[in-house]
């Protein structure tokens, strides 16, 4: 067979065509190769036109005639985009969790969100708070979800609802109720019958409350998210479709979406549902998996992280204003809808905080400040005014005026005057549980069979000899022989030596739940208290008396009739402390200042959880006149030369937790000259752990952690936990 003709007309035409187009292709006429898998960058060599929008008629109160909610459109020559009633619409969302903000402050936070230029508020819905016991639902007071949604509508904001059932959100067990852990066969976040039966009963109460508040029903809800970040968990491929059907069967429609990390979005999405992603900053490559999944849909960043949450023992995490500005500018430039997480973080009231468990178990702090656009106290930040300026640049009409800052007040220090040892408070608790073996917190036969969700649990048993005590305590326990402290147990250190004794004595183990893990597969194994047998020289102990210390309001009311002792000096055992604060006739928000009056001259303090010291304390529920404050203080001091900390700088931790929080960013800097200037909260220590004095200034219960560095000395660990009640 001969070779083809050297000058075939057809072959010549192709060659000429390639030669003619080669200069255009090589000069950048086509999209750069690295951008071809990112649909927002195709056809985007030149900057987009700086469009200005007029959404003044697209607010919940103005938009009366509704035929279609949020839709997606795609036109030649541009990227897909959202529309609302046919008008191009960017979702500019900000997260505010109603359950983390006192109800009296809801309006203030939402007005500030609107004045900043946002058009949407997003919120999670915590199952564990709304159904604390099976079949017992609470949608009142600070948990009045419907009132929050209607208030958002009144202010002029649309709502994206994220009802779970799992929400993560740094909540205890990711927002799942702890009573789900009672059934050993139940598999959380799967189609396991036990789990979905509980979900269905919860949805039967939750969804009817919000279904009539959807867009086409005349309400402000424009979108609903199905579960949360399931792409990482992904234990059951049938689970997400099941939840989608469960929502739709109960009347949820309109725009439905999922939310996952940029890497897990393909595993977490559901067919027919808009996939959204979470990220901390604009990066081209972050969209490649989303593009493969839904190249013909607009982008929604469900969580754009402008900060991060904090855990005990870690420096406060922040994100710079310039970083946020750069990403938001890119979002606007490319027409990307986004939700700022968090606009206002608020507070993990009570014991609702979750925990992380990577290198070790760390409870999330009571403060959920998040380095958000507003501080925990609701004050403005540089991020707020930067975002407001960016939004003004794309809007035709001026934004509403910025609301006035929340007024603050300075109150005198509070001196604790009386105390009640924990052992004398036991009769005021509910009747103890007796058992031949230790029972974990969730399986205690209390609260109508729902177990204990939060707080402490005290185990008492009789021993007649010393030896090596071994116990798996989650998360931390103090061990007492009668009323004498012997040391602590943790999820790492599970052994303590009991000294020789000549007669039978009472062994007490006080266990603290510091928060259940809220993320990863570890949520399945988050039972608290004593887990499994307790042994002494490898022989199991039995016959336990178990006290539940949930520290609920009713318990503190009972303590009013107790015989409190005058506080003449420090107590070396767990005790409740009492003080009175005069707040006057017009109480206002205030600041709590935590300072240390004595510390080694060679080390700066305080240090640790957040550099900068004391935090803000918000008091919208505070009443007129005087307030009584109860403080639960647990104390232990342990020497152990074999500790991993031996020979290193030691850590001293002070923690107080109950019903409100403080901000890592007070409006004025707070100074610690020579670790002195003890005004408000002072704690003094000596290196032998024998001297301890604390005076607490507070109006409502909060959680504070002050970490000091002391010179190295044989394992001395000091821990206090304050539980305040007004």
């Amino acid at each position: 067979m001969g070779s083809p003709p050297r000058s075939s007309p057809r072959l010549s035409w192709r060659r000429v065509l390639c030669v003619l187009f080669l200069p255009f292709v090589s000069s950048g006429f086509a999209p750069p190769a690295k951008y071809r898998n990112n649909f927002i960058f195709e056809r985007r060599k030149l900057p987009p036109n700086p469009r200005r929008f007029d959404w003044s008629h697209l607010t919940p109160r103005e938009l009366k005639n509704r035929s279609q909610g949020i839709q997606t459109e795609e036109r030649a020559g541009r990227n897909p985009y959202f529309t609302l009633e046919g008008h191009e619409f960017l979702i500019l969302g900000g997260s505010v969790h109603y359950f983390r903000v006192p109800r009296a402050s809801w309006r203030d936070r939402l007005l500030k969100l609107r004045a900043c230029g946002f058009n949407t508020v997003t919120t999670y819905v915590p199952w564990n708070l709304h159904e604390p016991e099976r079949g017992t639902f609470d949608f009142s007071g600070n948990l009045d979800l419907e009132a929050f949604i209607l208030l958002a509508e009144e202010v002029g904001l649309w709502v994206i609802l994220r009802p779970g059932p799992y929400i993560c959100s740094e909540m205890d067990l990711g927002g799942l109720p702890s009573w789900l852990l009672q059934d050993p066969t139940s598999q959380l976040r799967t189609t396991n019958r036990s789990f979905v039966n509980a979900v269905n009963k919860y949805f039967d109460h939750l969804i009817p409350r919000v279904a009539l508040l959807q867009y086409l029903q005349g309400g402000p809800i424009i979108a609903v998210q199905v579960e949360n970040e399931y792409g990482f968990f992904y234990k059951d491929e049938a689970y997400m479709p099941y939840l989608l059907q469960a929502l739709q069967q109960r009347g949820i429609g309109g725009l439905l979406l999922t939310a996952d990390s940029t890497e897990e979005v393909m595993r977490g999405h559901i067919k027919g549902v808009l996939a959204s992603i979470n990220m901390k900053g604009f990066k081209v490559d972050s969209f490649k998996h989303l593009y493969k999944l839904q190249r013909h849909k607009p982008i929604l960043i469900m969580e754009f992280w402008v900060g991060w949450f904090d855990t005990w023992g870690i420096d406060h995490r922040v994100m710079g204003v310039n970083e946020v500005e750069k990403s938001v500018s890119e979002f606007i430039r490319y027409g990307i809808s986004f939700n700022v997480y968090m606009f206002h973080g608020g507070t993990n009231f009570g014991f609702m905080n979750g925990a992380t468990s990577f290198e070790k178990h760390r409870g999330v702090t009571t403060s959920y400040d998040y380095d958000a656009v507003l501080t925990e106290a609701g004050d403005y930040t540089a991020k707020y005014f930067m975002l407001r300026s960016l939004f003004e640049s794309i809007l035709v009409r001026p934004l509403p005026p910025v609301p006035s800052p929340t007024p603050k007040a300075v109150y005198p220090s509070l001196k604790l005057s009386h105390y009640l040892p924990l052992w004398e408070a036991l009769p005021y608790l509910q009747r103890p549980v007796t058992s031949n073996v230790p029972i974990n917190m969730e399986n205690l036969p209390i609260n109508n069979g729902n177990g204990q969700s939060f707080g402490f649990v005290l185990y008492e048993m009789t021993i007649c000899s010393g030896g090596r005590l071994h116990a798996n305590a989650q998360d931390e326990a103090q061990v007492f022989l009668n009323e004498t402290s012997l040391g602590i147990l943790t999820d790492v250190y599970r052994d303590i030596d009991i000294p020789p004794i000549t007669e039978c004595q009472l062994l007490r183990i006080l266990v603290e739940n510091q928060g259940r893990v809220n993320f990863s597969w570890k949520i399945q194994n988050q039972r608290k208290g004593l887990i499994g047998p307790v042994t002494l020289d490898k022989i199991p102990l039995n016959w336990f008396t178990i006290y539940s210390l949930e520290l609920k309001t009713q318990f503190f009311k009972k303590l009013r009739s107790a015989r409190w002792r005058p506080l003449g000096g420090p107590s070396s055992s767990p005790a409740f402390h009492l003080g009175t604060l005069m707040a006057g006739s017009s109480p206002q928000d205030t600041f709590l200042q935590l300072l240390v009056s004595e510390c080694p001259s060679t080390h700066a303090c305080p240090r640790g959880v957040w550099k900068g010291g004391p935090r803000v304390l918000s008091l919208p529920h505070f009443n007129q006149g005087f307030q009584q404050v109860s403080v639960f203080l647990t104390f232990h001091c342990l020497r152990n030369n074999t500790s991993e900390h031996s020979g290193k700088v030691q850590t001293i931790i002070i923690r107080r937790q109950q019903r409100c929080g403080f901000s890592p960013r007070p409006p004025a800097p707070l100074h610690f000259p020579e670790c002195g200037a003890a005004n408000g909260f002072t704690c003094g220590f000596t290196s032998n752990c024998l001297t301890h004095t604390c005076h607490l200034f507070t109006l409502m219960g909060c959680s504070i952690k002050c970490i000091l560095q002391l010179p190295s000395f044989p394992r001395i660990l000091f821990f206090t936990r304050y539980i305040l009640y007004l």
Side-chain angles (χ1 to χ4, degrees):
M1 185 173 172
S3 61
R6 299 185 65 179
S7 59
S8 167
R10 184 176 179 184
L11 187 59
S12 253
W13 176 82
R14 286 186 174 181
R15 288 176 177 173
V16 171
L17 191 64
C18 288
V19 170
L20 288 174
F21 273 83
L22 182 60
F24 294 97
V25 175
S26 62
S27 64
F29 183 77
K34 68 177 181 178
Y35 291 163
R36 289 175 185 168
N37 290 329
N38 299 276
F39 62 101
I40 63 169
F41 305 106
E42 293 183 4
R43 306 179 300 274
R44 288 289 186 169
K45 187 175 188 303
L46 297 175
N49 293 327
R51 288 198 56 188
R52 294 175 71 88
F53 299 93
D54 183 2
W55 295 319
S56 59
H57 61 296
L58 298 179
T59 62
R61 288 295 175 93
E62 295 292 331
L63 203 53
K64 301 297 183 183
N65 299 319
R66 305 180 181 187
S67 59
Q68 53 184 348
I70 293 287
Q71 303 289 319
T72 65
E73 288 193 16
E74 184 180 23
R75 294 181 184 177
R78 60 172 304 180
N79 289 323
Y81 56 93
F82 291 110
T83 64
L84 184 60
E85 293 299 330
H87 301 276
E88 184 174 349
F89 188 73
L90 273 179
I91 297 173
L92 304 178
S95 287
V96 180
H97 299 155
Y98 61 98
F99 51 92
R100 283 187 164 119
V101 183
R103 182 167 181 164
S105 299
W106 286 355
R107 180 179 295 274
D108 173 77
R109 307 310 191 253
L110 294 177
L111 285 172
K112 288 173 178 174
L113 181 68
R114 184 78 175 91
C116 191
F118 292 89
N119 54 36
T120 303
V121 61
T122 69
T123 186
Y124 281 123
V125 181
W127 181 6
N128 58 346
L129 301 185
H130 286 298
E131 192 179 3
E133 298 180 8
R134 291 183 187 85
T136 301
F137 298 92
D138 185 0
F139 288 89
S140 63
N142 226 60
L143 296 176
D144 194 338
L145 173 60
E146 295 160 275
F148 181 80
I149 294 172
L150 292 172
L151 181 58
E153 177 185 47
E154 179 185 334
V155 168
L157 294 165
W158 300 106
V159 176
I160 294 179
L161 197 65
R162 312 176 75 183
Y166 167 84
I167 63 173
C168 184
S169 188
E170 292 69 63
M171 291 282 289
D172 186 274
L173 205 62
L176 300 176
S178 63
W179 45 259
L180 290 170
L181 298 172
Q182 290 183 322
D183 184 354
T185 68
S186 180
Q187 295 293 313
L188 306 182
R189 302 182 73 189
T190 69
T191 52
N192 169 273
R193 179 174 297 180
S194 175
F195 181 71
V196 296
N197 284 346
V199 171
N200 284 330
K201 292 175 182 177
Y202 170 56
F203 275 5
D204 284 343
H205 285 265
L206 170 65
I207 301 306
R209 295 175 179 274
V210 298
L212 294 179
L213 299 177
Q214 295 180 95
Y215 179 86
L216 291 180
Q217 301 291 331
I221 299 176
I222 57 172
V224 175
Q225 181 179 309
V226 184
E227 239 260 1
N228 189 52
E229 298 175 327
Y230 197 70
F232 179 86
F233 194 81
Y234 201 69
K235 288 286 189 179
D236 183 350
E237 65 180 12
Y239 174 65
M240 290 292 281
Y242 181 92
L243 287 183
L244 174 63
Q245 185 180 42
L247 291 170
Q248 291 175 328
Q249 288 177 342
R250 291 168 174 81
I252 295 298
L255 179 62
L256 293 166
L257 54 94
T258 59
D260 288 281
S261 71
T262 57
E263 298 298 317
E264 304 291 350
V265 64
M266 297 190 72
R267 292 207 308 174
H269 86 287
I270 314 170
K271 184 178 181 180
V273 172
L274 181 76
S276 70
I277 54 177
N278 304 333
M279 62 172 58
K280 70 175 183 178
F282 180 89
K283 290 183 180 179
V284 171
D285 290 342
S286 298
F287 302 95
K288 59 185 178 183
H289 296 299
L290 184 64
Y291 172 70
K292 293 177 184 177
L293 185 64
Q294 54 180 40
R295 63 191 303 169
H296 300 294
K297 298 291 184 181
I299 294 177
L300 172 60
I301 299 172
M302 195 60 225
E303 291 187 8
F304 166 49
W305 302 313
V306 297
W308 201 246
F309 64 90
D310 294 302
T311 55
W312 294 121
I314 302 297
D315 289 347
H316 177 49
R317 298 175 179 178
V318 299
M319 180 179 288
V321 177
N322 292 338
E323 296 178 72
V324 177
E325 182 177 20
K326 180 180 178 181
S327 292
V328 172
S329 296
E330 292 296 295
F331 297 155
I332 292 174
R333 179 184 177 216
Y334 290 109
I336 299 175
S337 291
F338 64 95
N339 171 63
V340 165
Y341 192 98
M342 296 287 299
F343 174 78
H344 172 56
T347 304
N348 288 319
F349 298 116
F351 297 103
M352 71 169 67
N353 64 279
T356 63
S357 183
F358 298 108
E359 76 285 359
K360 63 179 296 186
H361 185 280
R362 291 187 183 276
V364 175
T365 60
T366 303
S367 172
Y368 200 67
D369 177 86
Y370 215 89
D371 194 36
V373 180
L374 295 181
T375 70
E376 183 181 13
D379 293 329
Y380 298 110
T381 68
K383 289 177 185 175
Y384 183 94
F385 295 106
M386 176 273 295
L387 289 171
R388 179 177 162 90
S389 177
L390 285 178
F391 294 153
E392 281 183 319
S393 70
I394 65 169
L395 298 175
V396 171
R397 298 180 182 271
L399 291 172
V402 174
S404 300
T406 306
K408 308 292 191 302
V410 177
Y411 293 100
S413 300
L414 169 67
K415 184 175 182 179
L416 302 175
S417 57
H418 293 77
Y419 78 103
L420 181 69
L422 171 61
W423 326 121
E424 296 179 17
L426 297 181
Y428 297 91
L429 296 168
Q430 59 183 314
R431 179 177 300 178
V433 174
T434 57
S435 172
N436 190 46
V437 295
I439 304 175
N440 61 282
M441 184 178 285
E442 295 77 9
N443 286 97
L444 288 174
I446 61 174
N447 295 324
N448 300 311
N450 291 277
Q452 180 180 339
S453 295
F454 310 114
F456 298 76
V457 60
L458 175 66
Y459 299 83
E460 292 184 343
M461 66 224 76
T462 300
I463 61 173
C464 298
S465 65
R468 188 72 167 174
L469 179 73
H470 176 84
N472 178 7
Q474 301 294 326
D475 297 303
E476 184 169 283
Q478 299 180 59
V479 180
F480 300 88
L481 190 60
N482 297 319
E483 298 180 9
T484 302
S485 176
L486 300 180
I488 62 168
L489 298 168
T490 69
D491 56 352
V492 177
Y493 299 102
R494 300 185 177 184
D495 298 283
I496 282 182
D497 289 325
I498 307 297
I501 55 178
T502 58
E503 57 184 20
C504 296
Q505 298 186 42
L506 192 63
L507 181 69
R508 289 165 160 158
I509 303 177
L510 178 62
V511 187
E512 177 192 8
N513 169 9
Q514 296 179 344
R516 296 181 181 86
V517 168
N518 52 263
F519 186 74
S520 84
W521 305 292
K522 293 183 179 181
I523 62 171
Q524 188 66 45
N525 301 303
Q526 286 300 297
R527 294 167 182 86
K528 301 299 181 179
L530 291 180
I531 311 300
V534 177
T535 63
L536 188 62
D537 287 340
K538 299 184 179 181
I539 300 174
L541 298 178
N542 51 29
W543 295 116
F544 294 80
T545 300
I546 307 171
Y547 293 88
S548 170
L549 283 85
E550 297 177 284
L551 305 181
K552 294 181 177 180
T553 301
Q554 190 60 35
F555 167 68
F556 284 103
K557 289 180 178 179
K558 291 181 180 178
L559 286 188
R560 293 174 182 172
S561 61
R563 298 186 63 179
W564 293 77
R565 303 182 185 181
L567 185 61
S571 172
S572 61
S573 63
F576 295 91
H577 291 65
L578 189 67
T580 302
L581 175 70
M582 302 303 297
S585 59
S586 301
Q588 293 179 323
D589 290 6
T590 193
F591 297 87
L592 183 145
Q593 190 170 19
L594 183 152
L595 295 174
V596 178
S597 59
E598 297 179 26
C599 68
S601 59
T602 56
H603 293 267
C605 66
R607 176 203 173 275
V609 179
W610 295 291
K611 296 176 181 177
R615 311 305 173 205
V616 173
L617 171 60
S618 181
L619 304 172
H621 297 311
F622 198 47
N623 299 319
Q624 297 183 22
F626 71 91
Q627 301 293 310
Q628 271 198 335
V629 180
S630 295
V631 182
F632 179 40
L633 182 151
T634 65
F635 173 93
H636 65 250
C637 177
L638 172 68
R639 294 176 180 269
N640 181 354
N641 291 326
T642 62
S643 164
E644 65 174 357
H645 298 290
S646 181
K648 300 180 182 179
V649 171
Q650 302 301 303
T651 300
I652 284 186
I653 303 175
I654 307 166
R655 182 161 57 175
R656 177 174 58 76
Q657 180 169 348
Q658 178 62 357
R659 297 194 318 180
C660 78
F662 52 91
S663 167
R665 293 167 293 157
L670 298 164
H671 304 285
F672 303 86
E674 300 178 354
C675 304
N679 177 19
F681 185 114
T682 64
C683 288
F685 311 93
T686 63
S687 60
N688 63 11
C689 215
L690 297 177
T691 300
H692 167 238
T693 59
C694 281
H695 302 286
L696 181 62
F697 165 47
T698 186
L699 302 181
M700 283 185 64
C702 300
S703 181
I704 294 238
K705 203 170 197 181
C706 167
I707 295 186
L708 315 177
Q709 285 190 333
L710 298 182
S712 177
F713 45 79
R715 172 74 166 165
I716 295 180
L717 202 158
F718 179 93
F719 175 84
T720 65
R721 183 175 178 91
Y722 296 90
I723 306 295
L724 279 77
Y725 169 73
L726 291 177

